[in-house]
Amino acid sequence: MTSFRPDSFLTARAAPLATRCARAIAGAARALVDREGRLIPLSLLAGAACSIAVGVGAAQAISTPPDTLPIAEVKPGMRGYGLTVFSGTTPEKFDVEVISTLRNFRPNQDLILIKTQHPRLEVARTVAGMSGSPIYLNGKMIGAYAYGWLFGAEAIAGVTPIKSMLDELARPLPRGIAPKGGGPLPAPVSAVSRTPPRAAAPARLLQGDRGFLGAVDAYDLASHAGQIAARVAPSLSPPESTSLARASTPVMLGGLGGTSLRIATDLLGPLGLDPMQAGGGSSANPEPGAPTKYVDGGAIGVELVRGDISAMGIGTVTRVSGDKLVAFGHPMMNGGVTNLPTAIARVHWILASQNRSFKIGEAVRPLGTLVNDRQAAIVVDSAAKAPVFPMRVQIDGVEGAPHPTWNVEVAHDQFLAPAFVSMAIGNAVEATTAERRDMTWRAVSQVKIGRYGTISLVDFGAGNGTPLSSDDFVRSRLVRAMGSLLNNPWEDVSIERVDTRVKVTFDREVVLLRGAKVLEPEIEAGAHARIRLDLQPHQGPVESRVIEVPLPRELAGSQVDIDLAPGYEVERPMATPNNVAELVAMLPNQTHDAESVVATFRLRENGAAYRGKVASRLPPGAMDTLRPSSASDAPETFGAQVQVPISLKRFLVGKDTVSVTVRPILR
């Protein structure tokens, strides 16, 4: 058989002529793209041209690498070995024996069943984290350890054939891997239902498997997780004990505790990941003596967040080919083209379990990027650098706290970034303010956005003896904004940095609106309506506060209903954003000051919002002019209203409505 390089489509015999052909078409190759808009690799053009020149067809040019064994030659009873890391960073051998081959186990993919023999595997049996361990027969690689049975009593595993994995390695990628342009539960619903309607933004195209589908200004982390789970779940093996399931990817969680662990399980579990508290840290500063390159059978980690908290999916390298490698033998999240940081990992121990055993490890040197996440393998480019952004959380007001400042780096991903931002803040606050007493907190976050400057977002809350947790921040404006930016339908957005300062006071700075009363039921046109608010503070007597709401003269002769609601629940009239600039301008200003009460009343006119502009009041007849007769691109219309915010310096709970009569103007 002619010698063959795995990363080339040319035979050695044709190489000299191929070189000349490749040089001749190099200029044209750089400019050509295929029908899907992807750059056609130069090697493919060169291979095709030279095959024609030497009379060799494409089928003859593509061959099985000589150091691999085709599945057709794998027979029951054959013995060989596998490579994996049992402890440390150096791969070790374990014995294998072929049982049989399952045809069409997955779409267009067979599976080889093997028995494994090793003192540790006799105890641990099937091990999560061994996914990708290369298997050899007669000194040739046949594939990667990738599947096993839950609760299995025997050390039996399924092997993904190496050809299926190399097919994934050969897939063309987009011209460049850039940060993907793409938060919490739904945004607070305004107490006033007459705010401008917001049409759903168009679903983003080509945004990857983890994009959020929905209105760009209504990002919802829980809904996003559900959408991804619905897309990913059909590609995962069923969890029943009688099913042959992929050796799941254990995610080592470090620095997380309490509620954050539950949230990590809730968000990552449906994606086929298996979060577990196992320690970890940052690979940003490589450990002395850590390996400098990947090797077949070595441990590899995919870092979702690193620093004072960490989350790393761990698996095994199957085959290194130049700067690229394939690993796992199954998908991590089955997301296709992706962009997540990877690292060389060290294994501490294989923990045996009756359910499924798993490797415990941590990252020791950052290296490369996960660029493709497919059915048969993940593909890593060790020469690429994935985008991450730094995040700093500073907690003030907790005297004597041993660790008030937290620093992490978060993977720049449409879903993972908002998810881990919420966990990073919530975990830091929960760990630092673990107090079961009354508490009020205010968090001010500065988000630096590439090309669009920095926006400031305010979150807040008050507790009644329950410690703060990540649940409070899953619902935060910061997480909603992150999700909206990363999942916008117009362009890729780069988050460059997030800085959050949380100020904590051990007092419940909340007042309950017990009632409201108009002091003068009838007023002159153009006068102020005086309203007394009865406010019930925590553990104190009822307080009265008189506010004044100016009413325009045009309301003469009418009865005016005035709605009173907390500022954080009243949405400002805004147009649906049509580009990133409008979205960035909108995000910090969606609601009023959180520590205010907002008085809202309707006017007789209508308002309109169109292409980022809002006209709160339009003259009579303007609506007929604005309604196009031959186009569907019309302004969003709403009943005109006036919103009057009044500062309280405390958070208000409760709503009310009062009415006042405006006397007619006598002429």
Side-chain angles (χ1 to χ4, degrees):
M1 180 180 292
T2 305
S3 178
F4 182 79
R5 298 198 319 272
D7 57 343
S8 170
F9 292 97
L10 304 178
T11 61
R13 181 173 55 187
L17 180 57
T19 302
R20 295 195 296 273
C21 294
R23 289 173 180 170
I25 64 171
R30 296 189 183 97
L32 293 177
V33 295
D34 64 12
R35 288 183 296 178
E36 296 181 6
R38 297 172 298 195
L39 185 67
I40 299 175
L42 178 59
S43 60
L44 290 178
L45 289 174
C50 296
S51 294
I52 295 173
V54 298
V56 179
Q60 292 173 292
I62 300 175
S63 179
T64 301
D67 59 347
T68 66
L69 191 68
I71 194 169
E73 298 181 26
V74 175
K75 305 298 181 184
M78 295 180 70
R79 294 179 178 273
Y81 66 91
L83 287 177
T84 200
V85 177
F86 289 97
S87 180
T89 58
T90 303
E92 300 177 37
K93 287 186 177 182
F94 59 93
D95 295 329
V96 304
E97 179 182 345
V98 175
I99 298 174
S100 187
T101 299
L102 302 179
R103 301 296 178 184
N104 281 327
F105 169 71
R106 302 300 294 270
N108 195 37
Q109 179 183 314
D110 299 331
L111 191 76
I112 305 166
L113 289 181
I114 61 169
K115 294 179 182 179
T116 61
Q117 295 177 339
H118 184 277
R120 192 66 197 141
L121 297 181
E122 293 301 320
V123 177
R125 301 184 179 90
T126 303
V127 179
M130 278 185 64
S131 296
S133 301
I135 307 298
Y136 300 85
L137 297 175
N138 298 332
K140 296 185 177 183
M141 186 182 294
I142 65 168
Y145 179 112
Y147 292 83
W149 274 271
L150 298 176
F151 305 102
E154 297 181 274
I156 295 177
V159 174
T160 299
I162 188 60
K163 181 183 183 305
S164 298
M165 301 180 71
L166 293 179
D167 286 346
E168 305 294 6
L169 184 66
R171 278 180 184 252
L173 292 174
R175 184 172 306 192
I177 301 296
K180 289 188 179 298
L185 298 177
V189 178
S190 173
V192 183
S193 61
R194 296 182 291 271
T195 51
R198 292 179 181 169
R204 180 167 186 157
L205 301 177
L206 303 177
Q207 62 178 344
D209 192 64
R210 290 192 291 280
F212 174 72
L213 301 179
V216 70
D217 55 346
Y219 180 79
D220 180 294
L221 183 56
S223 295
H224 195 175
Q227 290 176 5
I228 297 175
R231 295 196 290 268
V232 172
S235 68
L236 304 180
S237 300
E240 292 82 0
S241 59
T242 57
S243 299
L244 185 61
R246 68 181 192 177
S248 61
T249 304
V251 177
M252 307 289 103
L253 300 178
L256 289 177
T259 309
S260 297
L261 288 173
R262 175 181 56 78
I263 291 177
T265 300
D266 291 345
L267 294 178
L268 301 181
L271 276 63
L273 304 178
D274 193 4
M276 53 189 65
Q277 190 171 19
S282 174
S283 68
N285 298 312
E287 291 190 4
T292 59
K293 61 182 181 180
Y294 292 109
V295 296
D296 296 357
I300 184 171
V302 180
E303 295 190 290
L304 311 179
V305 61
R306 61 194 179 199
D308 288 334
I309 70 169
S310 61
M312 181 194 74
I314 191 170
T316 304
V317 175
T318 305
R319 184 180 180 91
V320 178
S321 180
D323 288 335
K324 305 284 198 315
L325 65 87
V326 286
F328 284 24
H330 59 63
M332 180 172 176
M333 292 178 283
N334 207 37
V337 176
T338 187
N339 203 6
L340 298 174
T342 53
I344 295 174
R346 177 177 62 222
V347 176
H348 296 298
W349 185 244
I350 293 178
L351 182 65
S353 168
Q354 292 296 325
N355 181 350
R356 172 168 290 162
S357 305
F358 58 91
K359 288 185 177 182
I360 299 176
E362 64 180 346
V364 293
R365 181 183 297 276
L367 184 64
T369 297
L370 169 57
V371 296
N372 225 341
D373 185 4
R374 300 288 182 178
Q375 172 181 290
I378 65 168
V379 179
V380 172
D381 186 344
S382 61
K385 187 174 182 180
V388 297
F389 61 87
M391 180 177 183
R392 183 175 186 269
V393 181
Q394 174 69 40
I395 302 172
D396 298 332
V398 186
E399 186 176 353
H403 192 63
T405 304
W406 299 67
N407 291 282
V408 296
E409 288 184 327
V410 183
H412 200 293
D413 180 86
Q414 295 162 284
F415 170 70
L416 298 172
F420 279 106
V421 162
S422 70
M423 283 184 269
I425 302 180
N427 185 75
V429 173
E430 185 175 7
T432 309
T433 64
E435 300 279 354
R436 293 192 177 275
R437 51 177 166 153
D438 293 329
M439 182 186 301
T440 301
W441 58 273
R442 299 166 177 83
V444 180
S445 300
Q446 307 292 328
V447 181
K448 186 177 181 183
I449 309 164
R451 295 178 50 233
Y452 291 98
T454 300
I455 61 174
S456 181
L457 301 160
V458 179
D459 288 292
F460 57 90
N464 57 348
T466 302
L468 288 175
S469 70
S470 294
D471 280 332
D472 297 285
F473 293 93
V474 163
R475 299 171 175 84
S476 68
R477 287 183 173 87
L478 170 61
V479 174
R480 279 203 306 276
M482 293 281 296
S484 295
L485 289 166
L486 292 175
N487 290 274
N488 82 82
W490 305 293
E491 63 180 85
D492 288 333
V493 166
S494 173
I495 304 297
E496 296 184 352
R497 184 174 184 86
V498 177
D499 288 282
T500 298
R501 182 175 290 270
V502 183
K503 182 179 180 181
V504 177
T505 61
F506 293 100
D507 187 16
R508 203 185 310 178
E509 300 177 41
V510 175
V511 290
L512 174 66
L513 180 58
R514 295 291 300 271
K517 181 180 180 180
V518 175
L519 298 183
E520 294 90 20
E522 291 189 21
I523 62 174
E524 298 294 336
H528 288 60
R530 299 173 64 241
I531 305 170
R532 187 186 72 202
L533 305 179
D534 293 330
L535 306 173
Q536 175 68 67
H538 177 59
Q539 295 183 340
V542 174
E543 303 172 359
S544 294
R545 167 80 180 270
V546 176
I547 63 173
E548 295 187 354
V549 180
L551 300 180
R553 288 176 59 85
E554 66 194 67
L555 295 178
S558 63
Q559 178 175 297
V560 180
D561 294 330
I562 303 175
D563 295 320
L564 303 167
Y568 57 84
E569 291 192 0
V570 180
E571 293 182 352
R572 299 173 186 268
M574 288 187 175
T576 299
N578 291 292
N579 52 55
V580 172
E582 292 178 7
L583 177 62
V584 169
M586 182 196 76
L587 289 173
N589 303 302
Q590 289 178 290
T591 60
H592 292 272
D593 177 16
E595 299 180 58
S596 70
V597 59
V598 177
T600 304
F601 57 88
R602 293 195 62 181
L603 301 174
R604 295 189 178 96
E605 298 90 344
N606 289 316
Y610 186 60
R611 295 188 178 179
K613 305 296 182 181
V614 176
S616 58
R617 300 177 64 184
L618 296 173
M623 293 305 301
D624 293 333
T625 304
L626 289 174
R627 291 191 183 97
S629 59
S630 59
S632 61
D633 184 19
E636 304 169 51
T637 61
F638 56 94
Q641 58 179 280
V642 175
Q643 297 177 345
V644 182
I646 300 156
S647 178
L648 295 178
K649 300 300 183 184
R650 288 177 293 183
F651 301 113
L652 178 69
V653 177
K655 306 171 186 176
D656 208 341
T657 300
V658 297
S659 298
V660 62
T661 300
V662 182
R663 298 188 183 98
I665 299 175
L666 300 178
R667 300 185 183 278

